[in-house]
Amino acid sequence: VLSGLVSCTASCDIATPLTSALIGLLAGLVVYPLCSKLMEWLKLDDPVDAVPVHGGCGLFGVLAVAFCIPDCSELRLSGSLTKSQSSFCSADHRIELQLLSQVWACVVMLGWTLSISMTFWLLCSVSERVRGLELDQIKAAKELLEQLTRPGPDNVELEVDKGLRTVAKLSPAARAILKQHGWNGRTFQGG
């Protein structure tokens, strides 16, 4: 049902009730199952079938607009013919040109969606990598703190202090952890 509703949306002001029902039936009985099987075959995880419903059936609905012709005579008689409907009712309206326009619209929508999505996921990936690098600094700070708590010669304490200063410069997260342990940026307070 949802795939039929999604596919009827693009042509809602152009299609007649019968055409809308046909588009909805084709989307629900043919397009949705094919897109769902394609997702399984490609081994893409979509547990709620959002891509087949909204992507596949939505694109089908956009393409189906080319084959819709409103009830022009009834719309003219009632005086409710809109500008977009009148272009479909004109004598020079050609289905093949409209289909070409609808295909171009699908290409533009897919290009836009992919470019925005890829940019967003790239930013998420870079952010995750940066956090991963920071984790190394936090581990180094932890090791240095452990060395500091073990008894040893004074020169070990100086080396640990140098290491902690280096880690604190590189990682804001490590600096926050060190502050929780009394680090003032140069040495530990009270010690």
Side-chain angles (χ1 to χ4, degrees):
V1 172
L2 187 57
S3 60
L5 292 170
V6 167
S7 64
C8 290
T9 305
S11 62
C12 65
D13 65 333
I14 305 295
T16 62
L18 181 62
T19 309
S20 292
L22 182 63
I23 291 170
L25 282 171
L26 281 172
L29 299 175
V30 178
V31 177
Y32 167 72
L34 286 175
C35 289
S36 188
K37 290 293 179 195
L38 178 65
M39 292 288 288
E40 286 176 24
W41 183 73
L42 292 172
K43 297 187 187 320
L44 296 174
D45 184 29
D46 188 3
V48 295
D49 270 354
V51 172
V53 169
H54 296 280
C57 293
L59 288 174
F60 169 72
V62 170
L63 294 174
V65 169
F67 302 101
C68 296
I69 297 175
D71 190 353
C72 299
S73 57
E74 188 177 313
L75 291 171
R76 280 191 188 107
L77 284 175
S78 67
S80 59
L81 188 68
T82 64
K83 185 177 178 182
S84 63
Q85 291 168 334
S86 64
S87 68
F88 280 81
C89 293
S90 75
D92 9 320
H93 176 71
R94 293 182 39 204
I95 291 176
E96 59 274 4
L97 290 177
Q98 186 64 44
L99 181 61
L100 185 63
S101 175
Q102 298 303 121
V103 168
W104 178 247
C106 288
V107 169
V108 169
M109 285 186 288
L110 286 171
W112 175 259
T113 303
L114 287 172
S115 65
I116 294 298
S117 297
M118 293 305 288
T119 302
F120 174 74
W121 290 115
L122 179 66
L123 287 172
C124 288
S125 178
V126 168
S127 173
E128 189 66 29
R129 296 289 180 195
V130 168
R131 295 295 290 178
L133 293 174
E134 197 169 63
L135 188 59
D136 292 340
Q137 299 299 321
I138 292 171
K139 285 179 185 175
K142 182 181 175 189
E143 289 173 8
L144 290 167
L145 284 171
E146 287 172 358
Q147 284 180 10
L148 201 69
T149 58
R150 282 187 232 129
D154 289 340
N155 63 346
V156 170
E157 195 169 308
L158 290 173
E159 289 300 314
V160 169
D161 277 349
K162 264 201 265 181
L164 287 172
R165 273 189 236 117
T166 304
V167 169
K169 285 179 191 173
L170 295 175
S171 170
R175 195 167 35 253
I177 290 169
L178 290 171
K179 278 185 180 181
Q180 288 175 353
H181 290 283
W183 178 259
N184 66 9
R186 298 178 78 65
T187 184
F188 285 98
Q189 294 173 347

